[in-house]
Amino acid sequence: LFLGDDFHHNGAFRLSYGMEYSYEVEFDKTTDSEFPFPQFDLFDWYLKLGSLKNVNEKYFHGRVPSWNHFVEHPNYDSFWQKNSPLSYVKYPQIPMLHVGGYYDQEDLNGPQLMYGHMEKKDSFNRNFLVLGPWFHGQWGGNKGDSLGRISFGSKTGVWFRELQKKWFDYWLKGIGDGKFEEANCFQTGSNEWKTYSSWPPKEAVVKNLYARDNHSCSFDKPVGSGGQLSYTSDPMHPVPYRPLPIEATYGRGSRWRTWQVEDQRFATTRPDVVSFVLDSLKEDLVVTGKIKAHVFASTTGTDADWVVKLIDVYPAFDPNNFLMSGYEFPVTMEVFRGRFRKSFEKPEALIPDKPEEFVIDLHQINHVFKKGHRIMIQIQSSWFPMIDRNPQKFVPNIFDAKESDFTKTVQTIYCTEKFPTHIELPVMNP
């Protein structure tokens, strides 16, 4: 809660999902109800909504309890902390099979986080993990052979449900030998299930992939002090989180389930998005475990969001699937609200033009960047309307921000020896 699932990611508020879902389940206590949007494509509607304070003033009128909680608790205070499973689930009291999807558009972080949290006190060896290439709940009834335009080469959902049956047969009926792998984690790119005796695997070696000021990236650390790139972030022209149209989350024609694997070329061409691309790989690169970004950046404002993506760029002509040529597959992505760089409980304004380090958890992956592909690091400062617009002027509570608080700023990403923007990649021997 607040840190990485559903309504907040690293303190950044998930506007479209948070508003639409809370309205659906709470506005009318007798039934689920869709918010009465006046149009199909909601990008402009959310932009014209303006400050978050307009949600209650114009539409909810205080009738949606969860929205009121969002407004009243903009930081990671005791309200969020006491409701977090991290505070009341101490150890695996019964056999636990944590199941998560790399592309779960709603609860991506929870299974990974709770497995690790409970593993620390798993003295009975009954805490296990399965990670697959799934959207929210796709493992439960879907074939799981693909997501959007990304093929996984087999019915991963069926594979999981066979494992699930063995799991319950043993623990509930005593059928079978009870020998389960500690972690079953599907490997995208190679499209194979892999097993691990510990997760993340201890044998992974962390290699830093550094951003360079010529829009390239390299495993060699930059030298010197002159490398930096800047872009203008304008809250009135935010970067969409996926190609338009932005449909209602659960509305007709919604692409909500697949947005986390959509081709990122729509964003790469924008002037307020910076990309750093590695040369074509000479051999496969296996990346397995936790991905962490270190963004060294400054802003002319007093608050800023940083969205970081790790992207698999397909060959200009893909011999395996011609229509996937040049596809920019976002292996993992995440946002961080700058005010929380020191504490999620006590936010602080950024100091204009001061370079600072923002450490961003990009979650756990198991992916093979194939020979001939390229790796891209991408950074931007808005992800709308999935994430609410940061005014970029520090205000105590963004839910109370005035229209005049929204300001255009210049963001600078540093690629120097002292401030080396990079991503940690846990690399495995192929």
Side-chain angles (χ1 to χ4, degrees), residues 1-14 17 70 80 85 101 104-114 136 260 334 363:
L1 288 170
F2 195 86
L3 301 180
D5 268 345
D6 279 318
F7 306 117
H8 302 85
H9 279 216
N10 293 315
F13 180 63
R14 304 229 298 169
Y17 174 69
F70 300 150
W80 298 110
D104 189 325
Q105 75 282 17
E106 292 168 19
D107 301 302
L108 182 154
N109 197 40
Q112 300 178 6
L113 193 65
M114 291 308 296
H136 186 72
Q260 290 191 168
E334 193 52 282
H363 314 298

Side-chain angles (χ1 to χ4, degrees), residues 84-92 98 110-122 127:
S84 170
L86 290 171
S87 69
Y88 61 77
V89 178
K90 303 300 182 183
Y91 64 96
H98 303 265
Q112 300 178 6
L113 193 65
M114 291 308 296
Y115 166 79
H117 174 67
M118 297 172 73
E119 184 66 13
K120 296 172 185 175
K121 296 186 177 180
D122 182 28
N127 189 52

Side-chain angles (χ1 to χ4, degrees), residues 197-229:
S197 58
S198 63
W199 184 263
K202 294 183 174 63
E203 56 268 34
V205 176
V206 173
K207 294 186 178 181
N208 294 334
L209 183 62
Y210 295 95
R212 294 299 183 90
D213 61 350
N214 62 354
H215 294 281
S216 69
C217 53
S218 170
F219 288 105
D220 297 323
K221 187 176 181 179
V223 296
S225 59
Q228 60 189 57
L229 289 171

Side-chain angles (χ1 to χ4, degrees), residues 57-111:
E57 291 181 6
K58 295 183 177 181
Y59 302 108
F60 286 7
H61 308 296
R63 288 178 54 185
V64 178
S66 287
W67 186 267
N68 295 338
H69 291 320
F70 300 150
V71 173
E72 295 161 5
H73 304 280
N75 307 321
Y76 190 52
D77 60 16
S78 60
F79 173 82
W80 298 110
Q81 293 171 26
K82 73 178 182 180
N83 283 295
S84 170
L86 290 171
S87 69
Y88 61 77
V89 178
K90 303 300 182 183
Y91 64 96
Q93 295 174 303
I94 61 171
M96 299 292 295
L97 184 62
H98 303 265
V99 183
Y102 299 126
Y103 312 109
D104 189 325
Q105 75 282 17
E106 292 168 19
D107 301 302
L108 182 154
N109 197 40

